[in-house]
């Protein structure tokens, strides 16, 4: 699910009734990017098919975002019970989002499903490949001109599971969208950061130094909370330090 920065306007307008919406959108975009870069809290799970003797795989997020770094890579299709692969087994190039294995994985079956073709009649349970991913048909239909349209309407489910990569994402500067779960979790913090930055501006109808300080403190609290959640990987418990036996 995708959420848009425009959905936060009403939360900002309470404190910034005189601020024009284009400026508000720009500041929300900048704050969202700052929040993600500082906390590394926007994390997504990407999947692809592994191909015998192929070393390089270009990772493609489902959002208008850059990949900061991979958090973990699994080549066994199991990221729930198995440990991730040793980081020394692969390299990551941020400039083109390419994951490169030092030694190409082998022993994987060639992609068995046929490539998706527009105008084809598909039945429930049919499998196709598109963009190095495997999909299963959920409802009988005739393929649209664009696979993305059928995918967005719920005709297909991504069942790719050979290569699993968990990544940290950074929204592009001028994107208007973020992941829905991420916006729901951190909207209040992003709004506080944006309000603080705008109230800090001088000689504006919305200038408010004291209000800027208050919202800046709130923004810092949310950033610290996001970083703590990344560390503990448990949103329901406080950080607990286990005493060492020798202490």
């Amino acid at each position: 699910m995708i959420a848009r920065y425009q959905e936060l306007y009403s939360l900002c307008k309470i404190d910034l009734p005189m601020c024009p919406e284009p400026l508000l959108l720009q500041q929300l975009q900048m704050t969202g990017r700052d929040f993600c870069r500082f906390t590394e809290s926007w994390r997504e799970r990407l999947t692809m098919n592994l191909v015998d003797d192929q070393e390089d795989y270009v990772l493609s997020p489902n959002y208008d975002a850059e990949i900061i770094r991979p958090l973990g890579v699994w080549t066994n299709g199991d990221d729930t019970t198995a440990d991730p692969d040793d980081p020394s087994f692969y390299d990551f190039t941020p400039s083109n989002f390419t994951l490169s294995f030092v030694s190409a994985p082998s022993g994987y079956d060639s992609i068995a499903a046929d490539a998706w073709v527009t105008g084809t009649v598909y039945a429930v349970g049919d499998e196709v490949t598109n963009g190095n991913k495997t999909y299963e048909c959920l409802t009988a239909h005739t393929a649209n001109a664009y696979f993305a349209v059928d995918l967005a309407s719920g005709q297909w489910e991504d069942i790719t599971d050979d290569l699993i990569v968990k990544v940290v994402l950074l929204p592009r500067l001028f994107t208007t969208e973020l992941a829905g779960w991420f916006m729901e979790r951190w909207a209040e913090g992003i709004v506080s950061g944006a309000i603080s930055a705008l109230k800090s501006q001088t000689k504006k109808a919305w200038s408010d130094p004291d209000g800027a300080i208050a919202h800046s403190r709130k923004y810092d609290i949310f950033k610290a909370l996001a970083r703590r959640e990344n560390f503990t990987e448990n949103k329901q418990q406080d950080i607990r330090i286990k005493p060492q036996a020798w202490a």
Side-chain angles (χ1 to χ4, degrees):
M1 183 179 71
I2 292 176
R4 302 182 186 281
Y5 284 115
Q6 286 89 334
E7 297 170 21
L8 304 180
Y9 281 175
S10 60
L11 299 178
C12 297
K13 281 295 186 180
I14 297 173
D15 287 88
L16 300 163
M18 301 297 291
C19 184
E21 290 192 352
L23 181 59
L24 191 56
L25 173 60
Q26 182 184 58
Q27 188 58 58
L28 284 168
Q29 291 170 319
M30 294 173 63
T31 304
R33 186 174 168 89
D34 174 75
F35 186 90
C36 290
R37 179 187 288 112
F38 181 82
T39 66
E40 294 195 346
S41 54
W42 188 7
R43 303 180 172 196
E44 298 289 348
R45 180 180 185 269
L46 309 180
T47 58
M48 298 181 70
N49 288 311
L50 282 170
V51 180
D52 259 1
D53 300 323
Q54 179 175 319
E55 294 181 351
D56 298 333
Y57 294 83
V58 178
L59 306 181
S60 179
N62 296 320
Y63 303 92
D64 187 17
E66 306 167 18
I67 298 176
I68 297 177
R69 64 186 179 91
L71 290 168
V73 174
W74 290 259
T75 52
N76 59 4
D78 179 11
D79 62 332
T80 56
T81 61
D83 292 331
D85 294 356
D86 190 318
S88 66
F89 292 171
Y90 58 85
D91 295 312
F92 178 69
T93 306
S95 60
N96 56 13
F97 309 154
T98 299
L99 186 75
S100 301
F101 289 98
V102 175
S103 179
S106 60
Y108 293 91
D109 294 333
S110 299
I111 300 173
D114 293 330
W116 176 86
V117 178
T118 182
T120 302
V121 177
Y122 290 105
V124 174
D126 286 348
E127 294 185 6
V128 299
T129 60
N130 186 271
N132 205 26
K133 286 176 171 284
T134 302
Y135 299 87
E136 181 177 352
C137 181
L138 299 180
T139 59
H141 67 283
T142 299
N144 200 293
Y146 301 98
F147 179 77
V149 174
D150 289 343
L151 180 62
S153 63
Q155 307 280 20
W156 297 98
E157 179 183 18
D158 185 352
I159 60 172
T160 312
D161 62 2
D162 283 349
L163 174 61
I164 300 171
V165 185
K166 291 184 179 179
V167 297
V168 178
L169 296 183
L170 178 69
R172 298 186 188 279
L173 182 57
F174 298 110
T175 186
T176 59
E177 304 172 344
L178 290 173
W181 71 266
F182 181 84
M183 185 76 84
E184 182 177 352
R185 180 72 185 96
W186 302 114
E188 188 175 354
I190 293 172
V191 166
S192 291
I195 292 175
S196 173
L198 289 168
K199 283 180 176 287
S200 296
Q201 295 180 351
T202 58
K203 299 181 180 180
K204 301 292 185 182
W206 53 87
S207 299
D208 179 9
D210 291 338
I213 292 173
H215 279 282
S216 177
R217 289 172 178 167
K218 188 175 181 180
Y219 182 47
D220 287 342
I221 290 172
F222 273 95
K223 289 194 293 184
L225 176 60
R227 294 193 67 165
R228 187 190 73 176
E229 287 188 2
N230 292 342
F231 179 73
T232 62
E233 295 186 355
N234 190 331
K235 297 182 177 64
Q236 305 302 323
Q237 297 182 7
D238 295 330
I239 297 177
R240 298 180 180 180
I241 306 300
K242 181 178 179 180
Q244 298 298 317
W246 44 265

